[in-house]
Amino acid sequence: MTGALAPTKPLTALDRCDRCGAQAYIRAILPVGGELLFCAHHGRQHVAALRAKGAEIQDESARLHETSPSASGKR
């Protein structure tokens, strides 16, 4: 992030992909204002073009690979 924009809040399970409605993990903040939300799949398809047009990208798709203690079944 360049620091020109206010910090963005983390994406939650309530944030949905603008293309398919799945949980959003990528936010594109457009230089003209507004934002687009994408699941990891659609984000990969569109992020390069959006970045080339000056969009700031918040990519939280690494969270898909995180495991929690409860997810592994061990305590």
Side-chain angles (χ1 to χ4, degrees):
M1 202 128 156
T2 64
L5 300 173
T8 56
K9 61 184 178 178
L11 293 165
T12 71
L14 297 176
D15 294 308
R16 310 312 287 180
C17 176
D18 290 329
R19 295 283 297 169
C20 69
Q23 183 173 347
Y25 288 95
I26 298 172
R27 173 183 281 132
I29 303 164
L30 306 174
V32 295
E35 67 182 22
L36 296 171
L37 300 177
F38 295 105
C39 64
H41 167 77
H42 286 114
R44 283 189 296 272
Q45 285 183 332
H46 300 290
V47 75
L50 288 164
R51 191 173 276 134
K53 294 188 182 296
E56 295 284 340
I57 306 298
Q58 175 186 354
D59 186 348
E60 297 182 11
S61 60
R63 291 183 12 219
L64 289 166
H65 304 290
E66 294 176 354
T67 58
S68 65
S70 61
S72 67
K74 297 179 183 177
R75 291 184 182 207

